[in-house]
Amino acid sequence: MSYAPSPTSTPGNRSVQEQRERWDRKRIRAARELVQTERSYCDQLDLVTTYFVEILKAKGTLRQDIRESIFSSIKSIHLVNQSLLTSLEQGRLGVGFEQFCPHLQHYATYADNFHTANKVLLVQMKKNKAFRRFKKLQESRAEFRHLKLEDLLPLPLRRVQQYKHFLRDLTENTHPDHPEFQQLSRAVRAVSEVAQRVQDNARSHDNHLQLRRVQKLLKGRKTKVLPAPGRWYIREGWLKLVPLKGADAKPKMFFLFSDILLQTKPCSPMHPTSGDKFSCQHVYPLRDCTVDKVFGHTKSRGGLISLTFPKAKLLLMSSDQEDISDWFQSLSLAVGRLTSKSTVVNRRDELCRRPLRSAAESPSAGPSPAPENHQPGRKRLMVSFLERKCGLWLLFSELFLYICRFMSILVCRMFVIAHLSGCRSQQSSGLSCTIL
């Protein structure tokens, strides 16, 4: 007995059905993991609100303003997430996140206050003996499982990042015709905005710490790294500064920021207070800087970078090929970003300019000045050729100086030896005359 295949069992229909089944399995797996992690997250939030926020409020160990500075909106976050957990356990993912997203402002407030909360907590741990005892007692409870308050406070910020990944997995494995697809898509956009805000706050805080560190490394108060709105720390390191007059290349410490380049030298180690600091020699703005690699394009040993400023020019050299390439890339990106910002600011003026006309089209006009950037490609090649030639000439000049020094030392030694031998011969002749 033979069975004819039904119209619904064709290979194309089977492949579509298998794909939907895979989506369903991935969606179920992501939803299950989301519910499990949400339970654990709510339990940890309950530890903070129950054993710290509520008890501290009842005992009055901390003033209200200090308590709010440390814990911020964590109690509101706990209440919102308890409601979300109830919806997730009932399988209403779309509805749960649709009701949850309007309350994401509590997470944004918590993220903006997080670094201030850490500072206030450290101050209270140092100065408030009663709070220090209370914190140690609460953390010794079995419910905390060896967790400290410092481990629990960052949990809301991490949870926002986890929501973003969970929602993306759920949306990607949900069919567009599914009733929850639109709700999950809107939740992805809302949570991603808050997650980006958390990341931006963390980057700004790390950048501020780097700027403060560099400011403490600089001797005196003349060079101001802080405050500088919009300034970002990029990198630092030792590079050899090649002088243009053919003297010896000297190592200098350079600090690269998004808008300036600092050239420093180490202070004397015998200095009583600034032995481990650097003295700033020059501050170079990057806005009108031109960066070129003189040599070091191939896998050779080291390289040379040319920096051209309106009133100065630097030749920076390193014997490490990877290091000089990283410096060239960092400098080029920093200058390129500044150039793009100035281009955006002046974009409207450039668009409003009228096109140039020839002298034949406008006979009444006076003689137009010759264009400054005539044949830019040829000029760029000539500049690059001259800079490479200059770099090679500097290397050969250093080698020539070393050879001249060696020859002068050798000639001096030969002169001294000849002088000593002449003196000895005179002494020996004088002795022979005496004997006779």
Side-chain angles (χ1 to χ4, degrees):
M1 184 182 227
S2 62
Y3 296 94
S6 62
T8 58
S9 60
T10 59
N13 293 335
R14 285 198 300 270
S15 62
V16 172
Q17 185 66 24
E18 291 174 356
Q19 180 64 36
R20 290 186 175 182
E21 290 176 356
R22 282 195 295 269
W23 286 351
D24 291 338
R25 288 195 297 269
K26 291 181 180 179
R27 175 186 167 86
I28 293 172
R29 190 184 309 119
R32 186 187 306 116
E33 186 177 357
L34 174 61
V35 173
Q36 292 175 355
T37 54
E38 187 68 20
R39 288 198 192 102
S40 177
Y41 173 59
C42 287
D43 291 340
Q44 291 172 332
L45 289 180
D46 187 66
L47 293 177
V48 179
T49 56
T50 302
Y51 294 102
F52 279 96
V53 178
E54 297 295 339
I55 298 180
L56 285 173
K57 182 179 179 180
K59 293 182 64 175
T61 308
L62 295 178
R63 297 200 314 263
Q64 181 179 356
D65 57 339
I66 297 177
R67 192 172 65 250
E68 292 177 354
S69 298
I70 296 176
F71 300 102
S72 186
S73 57
I74 196 168
K75 187 175 180 180
S76 302
I77 291 174
H78 183 215
L79 295 175
V80 170
N81 279 90
Q82 283 181 330
S83 177
L84 175 63
L85 177 61
T86 303
S87 300
L88 295 180
E89 290 176 339
Q90 296 174 358
R92 301 182 301 153
L93 305 180
V95 175
F97 276 103
E98 192 173 31
Q99 297 174 354
F100 170 76
C101 288
H103 302 283
L104 282 172
Q105 185 61 32
H106 298 309
Y107 278 87
T109 303
Y110 191 85
D112 295 340
N113 184 72
F114 180 70
H115 299 295
T116 303
N118 285 335
K119 293 179 182 179
V120 175
L121 179 61
L122 290 176
V123 171
Q124 294 300 314
M125 287 292 296
K126 291 180 180 179
K127 298 183 177 181
N128 195 331
K129 187 176 181 181
F131 175 73
R132 188 165 60 247
R133 289 179 178 177
F134 172 80
K135 178 176 175 292
K136 186 176 180 180
L137 177 63
Q138 299 300 84
E139 291 172 350
S140 62
R141 293 176 177 270
E143 295 89 343
F144 280 79
R145 299 178 182 179
H146 306 289
L147 291 174
K148 295 184 178 181
L149 181 61
E150 294 86 349
D151 302 326
L152 298 174
L153 289 179
L155 290 179
L157 306 184
R158 299 173 188 169
R159 190 58 180 171
V160 171
Q161 305 295 334
Q162 294 174 358
Y163 284 146
K164 182 178 69 173
H165 297 299
F166 277 124
L167 287 170
R168 284 181 178 177
D169 292 342
L170 291 171
T171 306
E172 291 174 358
N173 296 289
T174 301
H175 195 272
D177 297 335
H178 196 279
E180 293 185 339
F181 180 79
Q182 295 297 331
Q183 296 172 334
L184 295 175
S185 300
R186 289 192 294 268
V188 169
R189 291 191 292 268
V191 171
S192 297
E193 291 178 1
V194 179
Q196 186 62 43
R197 185 170 177 174
V198 172
Q199 292 179 354
D200 292 342
N201 288 342
R203 289 180 63 248
S204 298
H205 179 69
D206 294 341
N207 179 68
H208 181 74
L209 294 180
Q210 290 284 11
L211 295 179
R212 288 182 57 187
R213 180 185 63 84
V214 175
Q215 186 68 67
K216 291 180 180 179
L217 286 175
L218 298 177
K219 176 185 175 182
R221 299 180 180 180
K222 186 177 180 180
T223 306
K224 294 292 185 181
V225 177
L226 282 171
R231 177 172 295 170
W232 289 85
Y233 169 85
I234 298 178
R235 64 175 299 161
E236 64 189 62
W238 291 92
L239 291 173
K240 289 185 178 180
L241 179 62
V242 181
L244 299 178
K245 295 184 179 180
D248 294 339
K250 299 180 180 180
K252 303 289 183 181
M253 172 62 81
F254 288 90
F255 296 91
L256 177 61
F257 301 92
S258 58
D259 58 339
I260 59 173
L261 176 68
L262 297 186
Q263 175 188 328
T264 65
K265 66 176 182 179
C267 297
S268 174
M270 303 301 294
H271 197 280
T273 59
S274 303
D276 56 345
K277 295 186 177 182
F278 295 90
S279 175
C280 182
Q281 293 180 309
H282 297 285
V283 179
Y284 298 101
L286 298 179
R287 183 170 296 278
D288 298 324
C289 175
T290 303
V291 186
D292 292 303
K293 185 181 286 188
V294 179
F295 66 89
H297 301 80
T298 59
K299 293 183 178 180
S300 59
R301 184 180 179 183
L304 185 69
I305 294 177
S306 171
L307 300 179
T308 305
F309 301 94
K311 297 183 180 180
K313 183 171 183 177
L314 298 181
L315 290 175
L316 306 180
M317 186 173 62
S318 175
S319 58
D320 189 349
Q321 174 70 25
E322 185 178 357
D323 183 51
I324 200 69
S325 298
D326 293 341
W327 269 102
F328 176 73
Q329 184 178 5
S330 300
L331 286 165
S332 301
L333 289 175
V335 173
R337 288 171 181 169
L338 288 176
T339 305
S340 63
K341 288 181 181 179
S342 61
T343 303
V344 171
V345 171
N346 299 325
R347 190 174 182 182
R348 179 169 298 182
D349 295 337
E350 294 178 358
L351 292 176
C352 293
R353 291 177 184 173
R354 298 180 63 183
L356 297 176
R357 294 184 294 176
S358 61
E361 295 178 357
S362 57
S364 61
S368 60
E372 296 180 359
N373 296 329
H374 183 63
Q375 294 180 350
R378 184 177 179 182
K379 184 176 180 180
R380 182 62 178 269
L381 290 175
M382 289 295 295
V383 172
S384 178
F385 171 75
L386 291 175
E387 288 180 347
R388 294 186 185 183
K389 189 175 180 180
C390 177
L392 294 175
W393 179 83
L394 289 173
L395 293 178
F396 283 121
S397 63
E398 289 184 4
L399 181 61
F400 179 73
L401 289 174
Y402 290 143
I403 294 174
C404 291
R405 291 175 183 173
F406 176 75
M407 293 297 295
S408 62
I409 295 173
L410 182 61
V411 170
C412 291
R413 288 183 178 179
M414 292 177 63
F415 178 77
V416 172
I417 292 172
H419 180 70
L420 292 175
S421 62
C423 293
R424 290 176 181 176
S425 63
Q426 291 178 0
Q427 291 177 359
S428 60
S429 63
L431 290 173
S432 62
C433 294
T434 304
I435 294 172
L436 290 174

